[in-house]
Every structure is written in C-alpha cells, then in structure tokens.
Amino acid sequence: MFIEERILTLFKRNFHHTCTYWSVFFSFGLCIAFLGPTILDLQCQTQSTLSQITWVFFSQQLCLLIGSSIGGVFKKTLLTALMALFVSSLLISVIFAIIPFCHNVLLLAIAMAVSGLVMGIIDTIANIQLVSIYQKDSAVFLQALHFFIGFGALVSPLIADPFLSETGCRVGNVTENVTEIMHHFRNTLRNSPIRSIVSYAFWIMATINLPVPIAVLFLMYREQLIPCCPSTNPRLLDKDELAMENQGAEGPDKEPKDLEEGGGEGGILSCCQNVNLRGLPVSFFGIHIFGGMVLFMTDGIVGAYAGFVYTYAVSPPMSLPNKTAGYLASIFWAAITAGRLVSIPLAFRFQPVRLLMINLAGVIVTVLLLLLLYTNSVFLFVGTTLLGLFLSSIFPCMLAYTEDILDYQGCATSVLVTSAGMGEMVMQVLVGSIIQSEGSYSFLLCGMIIGCIGFVLFFGLLFFHHRHRNYLTGTSTTSAMSLLNTQAKQCVPLHRLIFIPPTGTSVKSAMVKELPPPQATVELSKTEPTESS
C-alpha cells in the first residue's frame, strides 16, 4: 500500500482529535490572509497611510509571537488545551465581525492584536498535540495540518475579492491639490456603498468560521469534559493512549504522562527553565537556534509577500488594475495549499531534509526570476505560484526534521513556532517601511536577500545536526563500554558460563548450552578421594 497500514490504524484511532486540530488551523488561515488584499480598503476606512497601516501587521504578528510563547501553558491537560482552542477560534469570528466598525487605525491595530494572540495559541497547541499523538509518524499529519492553513488563507482572499473597491485611495501624494481631493474622497468613502460592501466580506468570514468552535466544543463533549453534558460514548482519550502504546518498539510501556514531562514542550518559557537542559551539548542548542532562524526568514517571506504583493502589483512599474492584483494573494495561498497537499505523499517517500533543501533553493531561484522579469505581469502570476509551492512545506518539514533529530525530547516545536511568528512580525514591518521609502522594486529585492540568508542558515543547521549525531554516537559507545566494564567486574556463577562450540559445528549444535549446576561439580570432587584410596 502507498500508506502504511500502521499509520492508517493510528489515524483512525485519533480521527476526531486530528480533524479538530486541522479545523482550528483553518481558522488560523482565514485570519492570516485577509489583510493583504484588503489593505487599501482598510487604509481608506481608517484614513491612514501605508506606513501607518503597516503597524496593524506588526500588532498582529507581535501578539501572535506572544500567543505562541504562552500557548504551551494551556496544554497541561486536555481540558485546558481544548478550552483554549474553543475560546480562540470563537474570538476569531468576533474579530471578523467588529473589523468594519474600526474607523481608526488604533482600534484596528487592537483588534488585530487580539486576533494575533489567539492565532499564536492555536498554532502552538495544535502543533504540540499532533506531535505528541503521532511522534515519529507526525510528518505527514503536520503537512496536512499546515495544508488547512493554506486552505483557510485561500478562502479568505476569494471571499474578499468581490467586495474590493475598484480604485484604492492613496494618501500622501505630491501636490496639495491632489491631497485635498483624496482627503475629500476618504471622507465620502466612509459613507459610500463601497464601505458597506467591504463590510460584508468580513461578516461572511465570521460566519464561515463559526463551525470551528462548535467542532471543538463537540470534541469536549465526546471527551466528557463538559460537566453539564455528560457523554454516553467512550472517551476518545482512551483511544489516543492506546494509539500511543501501539507506536512500536520505542517504548510500549511509555505513558502519555512521560511525553508531557520529558518532552519539555510546555512553551518557550518553560523550555528555558527546564532543568534537563543542563549538561546538554552545544549542538542541541545550535539545532534549535538555526532551525528557528531558518523559519524566521522563510515565514518572514510568506508574511511579507502575502501582505504586500497586492501593493506591489498596483504600483509602478506593474500598475495592474486593483481587481486583477487582488487575485495574486489568492493565487499565492492557493499555491501554498496545493503545495502542502502534494507534500503529504512526498513525506512518505522523501526525508524532510531533502524537501527542505529543494524548497529553499526553489525560493531563491523564483525570487531571482521575479527580479529579472519585474516588468512582466504574466510572470508575476507564475512566479507567485512557484513561490507559494516552494514555501508551502518548509515549516512542517522543519518541524518534523528537528523533532526527529532531538528524539522528541527538546523544545523544537515551541522554538520553531515562536521563531516563525517573530519572522512574520519583523519582516512585514521591515519590508513595508522599505517599500514606503525606497519604492516597490525593493519588495522583491528584500525577498531575495532574506531567502539567501535563510539558505545559508540551513547549512548551519546541517552542521549542528552532524555534530549532534557524533555526540549521540559517542555517548552510546561510552555507555556500552561502561556497561561491559561493570559486568566484567561482577562475579559470574559457573553454571551461567557460555559454552562456545568448536569451528565447523552445525547451526543447531552451536546453540548456547549451560554447564551443569555447581552442586554436581562439588559431588564429583567428593567422590574422587574415595576412589583413589
């Protein structure tokens, strides 16, 4: 079979949990992608400049980083984890509903900050829970998990596109007359039909997201975690524990409790306070640092490209119509969605490190071609598609790669999620500020520089992987020699000695035999003096 029977059985036993975690990542995708195509409409709604509206991205990504850092606190019990997911996914619908009423950039930034906080909590909990359930088989399920981010991010721009205004309002023109005209246009836009039409897009997304918190609530009901609504069905947690016991020869008697205590995945703060970090080699920390820095760069490209490709397309030299440029964000997220879907079967055939190498090289080549063909509007759509495909599976591959290196005993999940969120936060603000000051061409130039830095950092990760593998080999050899020396010093009973047959004997006769017990030897020694006498 293309998929191993063991993995299918494991998925069936954890079907409800897995699908619920996938669904909350759909909410994550909805919330992360709508700002890009609607940025000019929100700029008109809040009467702000591009540099001011960029801080809305910053507030969302900053709080996403904070949410990723504290998200591990809620996974101590299944009740707290599911309750956090329920509240977070419900708040996303609330945020979508109130965005049309944010007429000030500060109010919009606060709303985006709340959405970023709950997105970070969702990101950390869903990743940690899936890694805890599937362990070494988690790569394919993480690919599917991040496919749902792409799916939600694809749906969001498609919903917004029919409601986008035909002409954006641009602030900060050269002449005072144009500035006054645009100021008057913004004032009339607040009460215009365009403003109301854009509001419908957010309300539709709020409604589409509502089944997600309902699905989390139903899982809590099935798990008998709602006191007022006891369930008659068997708890799904028992099935999870059974699946963990069937993981294989790694440790059949290892309880889920050991995973929580030994894994150190309680969040970035708890990882730093873990007493088990003492005495660990430099390679252990190098893997965390360089793995996080690679995602800092690549997720920074995702955030910056999704956020500003629309702005880049409507600006010279492209100067595409607003409606046409609005499809770029949808195409980008559609490519990410398709790439993560294709990566699911690829995860069975190829090691994560090979996929990472191909994807990182593909990102650099694609951005380079976009730079060279910066006036070709057709290749802008082609390059956007290719860039989304190459960026799609970097995060889940990196997560599976680093966790496998560290044997699921490190803090890789929390560190990588936090680093990715930090990259999106910093790069969006940095790239937005550079576009404002240097022009639209600097958008692709920034992407090229960031991609090259990420590729170099990946080789640093490979170096520390090699060092860590040597450390583990040396530790295993030292432990084995120590065990042999200890056994050699112990007194071995005579009847436990191993008989080694001479060379040339058959396999059957070469089996280990035991010598007679010591009592028989003593009796024989007693009879010898009598016979001699």
Side-chain angles (χ1 to χ4, degrees), residues 319-342:
S319 302
L320 295 178
N322 286 26
K323 285 289 185 180
T324 305
Y327 290 112
L328 283 168
S330 299
I331 292 174
F332 180 68
W333 287 112
I336 289 181
T337 305
R340 285 170 177 168
L341 186 62
V342 172

Side-chain angles (χ1 to χ4, degrees), residues 484-497 518:
L484 289 175
N485 292 334
T486 303
Q487 292 179 348
K489 293 178 181 179
Q490 295 177 352
C491 180
V492 181
L494 182 63
H495 69 285
R496 293 299 181 190
L497 292 175

Side-chain angles (χ1 to χ4, degrees), residues 14 44 130 163 266 278 294 402 412 430 457 462 477 517-518:
N14 299 276
C44 295
L130 275 186
F163 303 98
R278 298 175 182 175
V294 171
T402 53
L430 180 63
L457 291 171
L462 294 179
T477 304

Side-chain angles (χ1 to χ4, degrees), residues 12 22 25 27-28 59 112 118 133 144 165 227 249 251 261 342 344 396 411 414 435 438 502 518:
K12 291 176 182 178
W22 287 349
F25 256 45
S27 295
F28 188 101
S59 65
M112 290 298 97
V118 298
I133 290 174
S165 60
E261 295 178 355
V342 172
I344 294 175
C411 301
S414 296
I435 292 175
E438 303 297 332

Side-chain angles (χ1 to χ4, degrees), residues 5 13 113 152-153 201 212 252 266 275 298 310 345 358 396 399 415 456 498 525 532:
E5 187 66 26
R13 287 171 175 164
V212 176
V275 295
T298 56
Y310 176 80
I358 295 172
L399 185 58
V415 172
V456 172
I498 299 177
S525 62
S532 61

